[in-house]
Amino acid sequence: MELLKKSALELRDLLDKREVSSREIVETYLKRIEAVEPKVKSFVTLTAEEALQAADKADEMIKEKKAGLLTGIPIAVKDNMCTYHVETTCGSKMLENFKPPYDATVVANLKETGVPVLGKTNMDEFAMGSSTETSYYGPSRNPWDLERVPGGSSGGSAAAVAAMEAPLALGSDTGGSIRQPASLTGIVGVKPTYGLVSRYGLIAFASSLDQIGPFTRNVADSAALLNLLSGYDPKDTTSLPHARPDYMQALGKDIKGLKVGVAKDSLGDGLDKEVAATVKKSIDAFASLGAEIVEIELPHSEYALATYYLVATAEASSNLARFDGVRFGHRSQEEKDSVTMFKHTRAEGFGPEVKRRIMLGTYALSAGFYDAYYLKALKARTLIKSDFDAAFGKVDIILSPTTPSVAFKFGEKISDPLAMYLSDVFTTTANLAGIPAMSMPAGLTTNGLPIGVQLIAPALGEEIMLSAAYALEKAVGTFGLPTLEV
Amino acid sequence: MSIIDKKTVEHVANLARLYLTDAEKEDMTEILNKILDFEQKLAGLNTDGVKPMAHAVPLENVMRDDTVEESLSVREAFLNAPCEAEGFFKVPRIVEKD
């Protein structure tokens, strides 16, 4: 248990002092997974053998003094990132037996650095959902309360870190899919600036919104993991060519005089009282650190959810057209002719939420409706981004709730897609604007459930965001993780 | 409140190459109407003179040098093929026999 409680950077220290080997760390985590996985169900596929081999390679690298910041420290990877010859299901029946013939760039980076991959984590099907309940493989559970969802879509990755099944995990965030589960499971989750991290080998949901990012137990570990993830990749044409800073350098800076924006209406109606109180506490904490709190306006945020669900579904309907039973994935036995085969392959391979979103997106792009829906949403997107441009003329970062409520119970929202979509009400704006945002733990409810707050920064403002988050973490403290009585 | 009817749902399902049972068409019509009703919020937003934004990143026409690079081998490309024959992906008949 002592080893499990260490942060990634604490493990780095132990590895460098040769007090522990990567193999011992990986073996400890594999034992923990064996013990708690029946309760939490974070993983779809475990890769124990590969992880142990990678650990041995990492131990060699450490011996030869070729170790990077995270060499030898294991990680869990969301199941929508391609792993060479290891099942990558995307939470769908469609890709039940899919073994990618290549690694995603982020996975290749992990391998090169000697970061052992423990397994592939559960997710809402094709990342469409906020609870993991749409996964074909069944839901993951929130380690803080097994009757509640861990959030989604990257719920398996969040649950794995919160259940101490992994010190680090990768998620992807299209409208909040890293930040919302991080908030619901009491950990840190970062959605980087669009284009900072390569999307090559990430199975596309909405290409103009998707970004890969870290899940960690604290802010410093996120900075370390972002260092590893971030980089220009010629294989991703939306990869930003800018030089990447060392995010570790951002930690520990004085934030006196930092201008923290709080949107007028972000603490109003529809927000859980305890969530609102926690955000207010974070505002006070920033003020006591010498930051200046500035009221800002984001007048078009109220249109963000409606905009997001048109842009995301339109892009998804196009991206998911590739699943036709020809080159990979499920194929129907209904083979009267090709179109029949396509239609039945897709009917059998996709679950209800994926079908709904393909239908909505196809409708929004179809002749006669394109202008009223898709084009209108793209214009609203411009206005949402302009709001942020104006706000960041006055402030350095923006503070808001991550989610309107804490972790909800299974079945509470799954039958009403609109209620589920509302989980994303604070998170979609950052994806639409392409700017970085993160969630970090800031308190617990009286029932002991984690509450997160969100920090949003301008494009490529990860350093100031992480520096503010690090200071806030010091001020509000940490809240521990559930032991699950093992 | 009916923005989309069953006939339109059938049309869109055909465009999306998605087979729906009759019960699924009914459900889909109901839920899409609920979602589209929520989407009407956008109709009230004034977007006169606003340029559409498909992408947050101002990168355009990203090119690479026209040089030969390693790519996926034929063997790897077929590893996940549900139906393969003689180095081709096999699909049901597309062209009618005369």
Side-chain angles (χ1 to χ4, degrees):
Chain A
M1 193 52 89
E2 277 316 300
L3 205 54
L4 293 172
K5 284 184 176 164
K6 304 275 183 219
S7 73
L9 291 172
E10 285 167 347
L11 291 175
R12 165 85 278 125
D13 201 41
L14 294 178
L15 282 166
D16 287 342
K17 287 186 190 147
R18 313 297 293 277
E19 285 177 24
V20 68
S21 68
S22 175
R23 177 169 264 272
E24 285 169 284
I25 295 173
V26 169
E27 281 172 348
T28 306
Y29 272 103
L30 290 173
K31 259 185 219 149
R32 171 73 177 175
I33 290 170
E34 204 177 294
V36 303
E37 187 59 9
K39 291 181 187 171
V40 184
K41 300 180 191 296
S42 308
F43 290 90
V44 177
T45 304
L46 284 171
T47 52
E49 274 312 307
E50 292 92 330
L52 288 167
Q53 281 170 19
D56 290 342
K57 188 191 140 195
D59 283 327
E60 283 299 312
M61 290 169 79
I62 294 163
K63 208 188 280 175
E64 291 163 14
K65 304 224 179 285
K66 287 178 185 161
L69 202 47
L70 295 175
T71 302
I73 299 159
I75 197 165
V77 175
K78 187 177 181 180
D79 212 17
N80 60 351
M81 295 172 210
C82 287
T83 42
Y84 181 69
H85 287 195
V86 171
E87 286 90 340
T88 300
T89 70
C90 226
S92 182
K93 181 185 177 185
M94 185 63 89
L95 291 175
E96 193 168 9
N97 301 307
F98 177 57
K99 291 184 179 174
Y102 63 94
D103 276 322
T105 295
V106 291
V107 173
N109 287 349
L110 295 176
K111 287 185 180 173
E112 200 183 318
T113 315
V115 178
V117 175
L118 296 166
K120 305 295 292 292
T121 59
N122 193 27
M123 54 184 283
D124 282 290
E125 186 180 3
F126 283 99
M128 296 176 184
S130 309
S131 68
T132 68
E133 288 170 288
T134 73
S135 170
Y136 175 67
Y137 306 95
S140 302
R141 296 197 181 131
N142 193 318
W144 294 80
D145 177 351
L146 298 173
E147 303 297 308
R148 290 173 192 270
V149 304
S153 65
S154 317
S157 284
V161 172
M164 291 189 277
E165 292 179 302
L168 305 166
L170 295 188
S172 66
D173 190 314
T174 305
S177 282
I178 291 174
R179 290 160 287 157
Q180 185 256 14
S183 178
L184 269 46
T185 58
I187 60 173
V188 176
V190 181
K191 183 208 90 75
T193 300
Y194 184 82
L196 193 79
V197 178
S198 170
R199 292 184 298 111
Y200 179 74
L202 170 70
I203 297 173
F205 162 12
S207 310
S208 84
L209 306 167
D210 299 339
Q211 263 298 281
I212 291 171
F215 280 110
T216 62
R217 295 186 197 155
N218 62 37
V219 176
D221 282 3
S222 269
L225 185 48
L226 195 57
N227 269 355
L228 199 163
L229 297 176
S230 161
Y232 171 67
D233 181 10
K235 289 175 179 162
D236 173 0
T237 54
T238 58
S239 179
L240 291 170
H242 305 62
R244 267 62 169 176
D246 173 6
Y247 298 108
M248 296 298 289
Q249 298 295 322
L251 309 178
K253 284 197 177 147
D254 189 0
I255 63 155
K256 203 167 278 174
L258 182 85
K259 287 182 180 153
V260 178
V262 178
K264 250 183 181 174
D265 315 321
S266 63
L267 299 175
D269 294 345
L271 190 64
D272 180 285
K273 281 201 182 86
E274 289 186 287
V275 174
T278 300
V279 178
K280 279 177 192 146
K281 248 188 229 165
S282 297
I283 295 172
D284 294 344
F286 269 128
S288 69
L289 290 167
E292 187 188 332
I293 310 299
V294 182
E295 189 177 87
I296 54 160
E297 284 184 64
L298 298 168
H300 297 97
S301 284
E302 64 167 305
Y303 298 99
L305 211 53
T307 303
Y308 170 79
Y309 274 94
L310 289 175
V311 172
T313 57
E315 293 186 20
S317 75
S318 172
N319 276 325
L320 271 59
R322 75 192 61 179
F323 299 103
D324 56 9
V326 175
R327 288 148 300 152
F328 50 83
H330 177 75
R331 174 167 174 142
S332 173
Q333 298 300 307
E334 298 278 341
E335 296 212 331
K336 186 163 75 68
D337 55 57
S338 285
V339 173
T340 304
M341 188 275 281
F342 297 156
K343 286 184 176 177
H344 283 270
T345 290
R346 293 161 66 74
E348 295 162 16
F350 291 138
E353 181 60 23
V354 174
K355 288 179 188 172
R356 275 196 284 270
R357 296 205 195 184
I358 289 174
M359 288 290 290
L360 180 61
T362 306
Y363 177 73
L365 288 172
S366 67
F369 303 103
Y370 179 92
D371 286 4
Y373 291 105
Y374 184 63
L375 191 64
K376 186 78 180 179
L378 294 188
K379 289 177 179 174
R381 187 177 183 182
T382 303
L383 294 172
I384 290 162
K385 182 170 186 292
S386 308
D387 281 356
F388 280 109
D389 291 344
F392 287 123
K394 291 186 217 154
V395 300
D396 301 306
I397 58 159
I398 294 169
L399 174 70
S400 82
T402 308
T403 58
S405 67
V406 294
F408 45 92
K409 291 193 170 163
F410 288 103
E412 211 173 290
K413 300 184 187 207
I414 193 70
S415 56
D416 182 357
L418 274 176
M420 190 71 88
Y421 296 175
L422 283 172
S423 309
D424 301 333
V425 68
F426 294 111
T427 46
T428 58
T429 50
N431 302 81
L432 290 165
I435 55 182
M438 65 185 285
S439 180
M440 58 183 286
L444 295 175
T445 65
T446 46
N447 293 330
L449 291 171
I451 301 170
V453 294
Q454 178 174 233
L455 300 179
I456 309 172
L460 297 170
E462 276 81 4
E463 288 170 284
I464 199 153
M465 180 174 82
L466 288 163
S467 136
Y470 188 76
L472 182 62
E473 182 181 60
K474 282 247 150 76
V476 301
T478 49
F479 306 91
L481 287 174
T483 58
L484 290 154
E485 291 156 29
V486 176
Chain B
M1 183 207 82
S2 186
I3 299 162
I4 185 169
D5 58 16
K6 195 173 151 192
K7 224 181 124 195
T8 312
V9 164
E10 284 171 351
H11 169 65
V12 174
N14 181 50
L15 291 177
R17 295 290 186 252
L18 197 57
Y19 170 79
L20 297 178
T21 64
D22 225 37
E24 282 175 322
K25 285 178 197 166
E26 300 285 347
D27 283 354
M28 195 66 85
T29 309
E30 191 189 323
I31 190 68
L32 285 183
N33 265 313
K34 269 193 203 163
I35 297 171
L36 288 170
D37 184 53
F38 169 75
E39 293 294 346
Q40 298 313 305
K41 190 178 172 68
L42 281 181
L45 176 66
N46 183 354
T47 53
D48 293 349
V50 178
K51 280 191 183 153
M53 176 176 126
H55 228 269
V57 170
L59 294 171
E60 271 178 38
N61 297 338
V62 178
M63 306 284 201
R64 70 165 176 86
D65 292 337
D66 186 17
T67 50
V68 178
E69 286 176 16
E70 206 183 318
S71 60
L72 212 56
S73 72
V74 174
R75 194 186 66 84
E76 290 276 7
F78 278 104
L79 276 182
N80 287 282
C83 193
E84 184 213 342
E86 297 163 40
F88 291 94
F89 296 106
K90 202 174 167 192
V91 294
R93 178 173 292 278
I94 297 169
V95 184
E96 297 284 325
K97 279 185 195 168
D98 45 300

